[in-house]
Amino acid sequence: MSCTHAESVIKNIIREIALECAVRGHAVSDTLVAFMVKAVVLDPRNGFNVDRTLTKQDVQKLEELCLDKLMEKCSPSLDTIKMQVYFDMNYTSRREFLEDIHRVEESRLSPVSREITDTRVKTREELDALYRKIITYIQLHSSMGSPTDVTAVKEATAALQSVFPQTELGAFMVLLKRDKEQQLNELTMIVTGIRLFNKASKKGGEETDLHELMPAILNEALPVTSKSIENRLSASQTLVWKYTTVLEKLTDPDSPSGECDTPVVLLKQALYNVKQHDVFLKMLLADACLCAKHVEILQTALSSQMKLLKETVQSKTAVPTAKVFPLFKSLSKLWSGLQDEAQLLNIFNNIVHNLQPFVASQANIFSETYLDGLLEASEVKTDEQRITESSGERIVPAEMNTQEWLLPETTASVNELSLQYDGVCGYTLVNRDGLLLPGNPHIGVLIHEEKLYVFSSKEAALKFASSPGEFIAEVAEKAKHSPELIQLLKLHQQFSCVSPYLEMQPGKGLLVKPITKCESGTQTDIHPVETNIAKSYEWNEWELRRKAIKLANLLSKVTQSVQTDLSHMRRENITQTWLPKDAASQSKRDGESNVPKPQTYLAGLRGQRDGLVVKTNLTRSVDE
């Protein structure tokens, strides 16, 4: 069975469940259905054998169980899963949030920008219409007043005419489309900076209130978002502490077992529900605080930039554009940054508001009056109080020398470590039937298979460390019975990916192990064994002979040392010299010699047949 066909089968199962839910009046997302399929298969109570392939009866049973789970009314467990799915689908990193904001802004402005860059004007009326479109684009991009606001339009028109009069439209029209877009963005930044400067200069010499220069949406969102999240977080934490105290009392093995009519299972589901809500609210509050910090930084920069601009312009009638335009652009960038922070705060506020319905079930099942009745005279302890009470207990490595521990006195930033189970005590989770108690890193942090574990007491730490593998497996079993714990305790890596195929390849099971991927890089040196290179190696035997002669000659040389006034009592100076040697060389010598010039005469060579030839030597001597 090909992977493509297998994926289509999975999608069909999910689609059928989603359609059946819609028929029954409940709209669910495919992501929620996929998660519920995984939860049903993992739960050992449902009887799915992960070592064999799914049959048609298995698929039918799987669909029925998923439908029953998804159709439950007033279920804290289902609400927790829905909350987790919603948060995963709507929450991302700050960088991606900003990219989405800019993408939406660009798509909103692209039609207006396209009309401006693609327009071919021929008449005066068309030129006027094009100029008005540019003003509209600048107002929409800067968000400083609506295009239908007459006052805002007049301000934008006056600012644009001071840097780009209507007579410049002819030169603008002959530009390429890319150059038009660039000039349009530059005009928007400059005009926005001018309008901000004019707004700050209305009070004359008085100090400008920064709140007057802030975007209106930011002035509305900044004080409300953080306060709203803090209030909801406070209420959620109070519920977490109450549920924890009740379950701690009911699951205590030493307490009398007279609470048979108390729905412990529903109480645990309600605890997981409010605990997950508490975790998400903490994340959103941290993001909101980061936004407030960025706003403060941008406000300081805006104030200093405005002061610098006022000092540059002062009462001058004319200022060089090369000097003042960059300052206007800087103001515009700071203004855009403030708008981004306002959009982020609105996003976080919407997420917080949309999370609230997911905690309604536990509130309907367990009212505050009912919880207070279960608590009776029990003291509701906060997480900080529990950690403070157990801080006196410390792990002594000698007591458990078979395990590696991190101790607070030898570990920097022990409270900032990345802990397993999101800082929950794994021993208490197993021993107290799913109770969530915060671990205290000051007791000692267990290192097991490169993962860090914390515990609520020294006794829990020692018992967990005696057989960590068994307790880790027990925690996974607890998560199979309560699938919301997979997200809450961050146990994704311990579970397989469900593949509910109608037909599967031979030898393939119901669950497929997840493929773990990571980015890695290697750098290869040019000479990996460079340290093994022998610097003194010589392949030329004549070079070796030369070095040998040099060393032999050194035996007969004299070493002398010289000390001067400057080097006295400072260091020893040693100089080795080669004494001059007597040497002779043979060279070519110039020489000359003189020989006599021969003069010999013969007589009787002609006239006689048998005549006698007489030879006469007239050569003269060299000395003559």
Side-chain angles (χ1 to χ4, degrees):
M1 184 179 182
S2 64
C3 294
T4 306
H5 182 56
E7 290 179 1
S8 64
V9 171
I10 297 173
K11 292 179 180 179
N12 287 335
I13 295 175
I14 295 174
R15 190 181 303 111
E16 289 179 5
I17 297 175
L19 289 175
E20 184 63 26
C21 289
V23 170
R24 299 185 184 185
H26 289 75
V28 295
S29 64
D30 292 346
T31 306
L32 177 60
V33 176
F35 185 86
M36 190 58 68
V37 169
K38 177 178 180 179
V40 169
V41 172
L42 288 175
D43 194 340
R45 295 171 297 184
N46 295 326
F48 286 98
N49 187 358
V50 298
D51 295 328
R52 65 176 177 83
T53 59
L54 282 176
T55 62
K56 291 184 178 179
Q57 292 77 13
D58 292 334
V59 172
Q60 184 177 0
K61 178 182 177 182
L62 176 62
E63 292 180 356
E64 292 177 356
L65 290 174
C66 289
L67 286 172
D68 292 340
K69 291 283 186 182
L70 293 169
M71 292 295 105
E72 287 183 359
K73 295 182 179 179
C74 206
S75 171
S77 177
L78 180 60
D79 280 352
T80 305
I81 295 174
K82 288 181 178 179
M83 185 197 312
Q84 293 168 347
V85 172
Y86 168 79
F87 195 81
D88 287 341
M89 294 178 64
N90 293 274
Y91 181 82
T92 183
S93 64
R94 175 185 171 88
R95 177 181 58 83
E96 292 180 353
F97 270 134
L98 291 175
E99 289 177 357
D100 291 340
I101 291 172
H102 296 160
R103 194 180 302 113
V104 171
E105 182 72 15
E106 184 179 354
S107 63
R108 184 174 66 93
L109 295 174
S110 58
V112 184
S113 174
R114 197 180 303 113
E115 287 183 9
I116 295 173
T117 56
D118 295 346
T119 300
R120 297 293 182 266
V121 297
K122 296 181 179 179
T123 62
R124 182 67 182 180
E125 291 76 11
E126 292 177 349
L127 278 175
D128 295 339
L130 177 61
Y131 200 76
R132 289 193 296 270
K133 287 180 181 179
I134 295 177
I135 295 173
T136 301
Y137 176 85
I138 291 174
Q139 285 186 282
L140 292 174
H141 194 283
S142 62
S143 300
M144 294 185 67
S146 171
T148 58
D149 187 356
V150 178
T151 304
V153 171
K154 288 182 178 180
E155 292 178 359
T157 304
L160 180 62
Q161 288 177 347
S162 64
V163 296
F164 185 76
Q166 195 167 349
T167 55
E168 298 290 335
L169 280 177
F172 177 80
M173 293 304 301
V174 298
L175 296 176
L176 298 176
K177 182 174 182 178
R178 182 181 57 186
D179 297 333
K180 288 181 182 178
E181 293 174 350
Q182 182 179 358
Q183 186 171 355
L184 192 60
N185 291 330
E186 289 184 358
L187 287 174
T188 302
M189 296 175 67
I190 295 172
V191 170
T192 303
I194 292 174
R195 293 186 65 187
L196 288 171
F197 177 73
N198 292 337
K199 188 176 181 180
S201 302
K202 285 183 178 180
K203 288 192 174 185
E206 300 180 7
E207 286 292 330
T208 306
D209 188 4
L210 286 177
H211 290 284
E212 295 184 3
L213 297 179
M214 301 277 284
I217 186 175
L218 185 58
N219 286 328
E220 297 174 0
L222 187 59
V224 173
T225 302
S226 299
K227 192 65 176 177
S228 174
I229 298 176
E230 288 176 358
N231 293 336
R232 294 178 188 268
L233 180 60
S234 177
S236 180
Q237 285 179 336
T238 302
L239 284 175
V240 171
W241 298 332
K242 286 185 177 182
Y243 280 118
T244 302
T245 304
V246 170
L247 286 171
E248 189 177 21
K249 174 184 175 183
L250 296 176
T251 58
D252 187 1
D254 299 331
S255 64
S257 57
E259 304 289 344
C260 297
D261 57 339
T262 305
V264 178
V265 176
L266 281 177
L267 282 171
K268 286 191 298 183
Q269 292 180 3
L271 172 61
Y272 302 156
N273 182 260
V274 293
K275 181 67 175 178
Q276 186 66 82
H277 189 235
D278 175 76
V279 171
F280 289 156
L281 288 180
K282 286 180 179 178
M283 296 172 60
L284 293 170
L285 181 61
D287 291 331
C289 292
L290 183 61
C291 284
K293 188 180 296 184
H294 279 274
V295 168
E296 185 178 352
I297 295 173
L298 291 172
Q299 282 180 330
T300 305
L302 183 66
S303 177
S304 60
Q305 198 71 21
M306 190 66 70
K307 183 178 180 181
L308 177 61
L309 187 57
K310 287 183 178 180
E311 292 175 354
T312 303
V313 176
Q314 291 178 352
S315 58
K316 299 178 182 177
T317 56
V319 183
T321 57
K323 189 175 182 181
V324 74
F325 278 5
L327 299 178
F328 288 140
K329 291 182 180 180
S330 298
L331 284 180
S332 177
K333 291 179 181 178
L334 294 173
W335 174 264
S336 299
L338 291 172
Q339 286 182 318
D340 291 342
E341 300 301 328
Q343 295 288 348
L344 281 176
L345 288 173
N346 273 338
I347 291 174
F348 298 146
N349 195 22
N350 290 335
I351 294 177
V352 170
H353 178 73
N354 294 331
L355 286 178
Q356 196 63 29
F358 297 118
V359 294
S361 295
Q362 60 83 23
N364 294 332
I365 298 174
F366 303 107
S367 63
E368 291 190 14
T369 305
Y370 181 79
L371 280 178
D372 293 338
L374 293 177
L375 287 170
E376 295 178 350
S378 301
E379 180 187 359
V380 178
K381 298 179 181 179
T382 66
D383 291 347
E384 290 76 12
Q385 288 176 338
R386 295 179 183 275
I387 292 175
T388 303
E389 290 177 358
S390 60
S391 294
E393 306 176 18
R394 295 293 176 91
I395 287 292
V396 180
E399 298 178 0
M400 185 63 68
N401 52 13
T402 58
Q403 301 290 347
E404 186 179 357
W405 297 87
L406 290 178
L407 302 179
E409 56 269 13
T410 59
T411 305
S413 304
V414 69
N415 292 322
E416 299 178 2
L417 297 175
S418 179
L419 304 173
Q420 286 297 108
Y421 310 141
D422 201 23
V424 172
C425 177
Y427 174 80
T428 305
L429 179 68
V430 174
N431 196 46
R432 302 289 287 273
D433 196 21
L435 176 63
L436 303 181
L437 286 184
N440 185 1
H442 293 278
I443 295 175
V445 181
L446 173 65
I447 303 177
H448 179 70
E449 295 181 353
E450 300 181 356
K451 297 178 181 178
L452 307 179
Y453 300 85
V454 290
F455 310 96
S456 58
S457 64
K458 180 180 178 181
E459 180 185 1
L462 293 177
K463 290 184 178 180
F464 188 96
S466 62
S467 55
E470 296 180 5
F471 282 100
I472 292 173
E474 287 293 329
V475 171
E477 288 298 320
K478 292 290 182 184
K480 290 179 181 179
H481 288 79
S482 301
E484 61 267 29
L485 288 178
I486 298 176
Q487 170 80 0
L488 181 58
L489 302 182
K490 300 179 180 179
L491 301 175
H492 304 89
Q493 294 300 326
Q494 296 188 26
F495 292 93
S496 303
C497 300
V498 177
S499 299
Y501 297 162
L502 186 61
E503 299 176 4
M504 299 189 69
Q505 297 178 0
K508 296 292 184 180
L510 183 63
L511 300 180
V512 179
K513 292 294 182 182
I515 301 175
T516 304
K517 298 181 180 180
C518 65
E519 294 184 1
S520 62
T522 58
Q523 185 175 3
T524 305
D525 295 335
I526 298 177
H527 299 291
V529 291
E530 186 176 357
T531 56
N532 297 330
I533 296 177
K535 301 295 184 180
S536 60
Y537 172 76
E538 287 288 349
W539 64 270
N540 191 347
E541 60 182 5
W542 292 101
E543 182 65 20
L544 293 174
R545 180 177 179 274
R546 186 189 67 79
K547 290 182 178 180
I549 293 174
K550 180 179 179 181
L551 293 174
N553 289 338
L554 286 176
L555 297 176
S556 60
K557 306 304 176 187
V558 179
T559 300
Q560 296 180 350
S561 62
V562 178
Q563 189 175 33
T564 64
D565 291 338
L566 294 178
S567 65
H568 177 59
M569 296 299 291
R570 292 186 181 179
R571 63 182 177 87
E572 296 181 357
N573 287 342
I574 299 176
T575 304
Q576 188 176 19
T577 61
W578 290 46
L579 297 178
K581 61 180 181 179
D582 295 335
S585 61
Q586 186 176 6
S587 60
K588 179 181 177 182
R589 297 181 179 179
D590 293 336
E592 59 180 8
S593 60
N594 195 6
V595 296
K597 183 178 180 181
Q599 292 183 353
T600 304
Y601 297 94
L602 298 177
L605 292 178
R606 291 184 294 179
Q608 296 180 8
R609 181 178 297 272
D610 296 327
L612 182 63
V613 177
V614 178
K615 178 179 179 182
T616 303
N617 187 5
L618 298 180
T619 302
R620 300 181 65 179
S621 176
V622 177
D623 299 332
E624 292 181 358

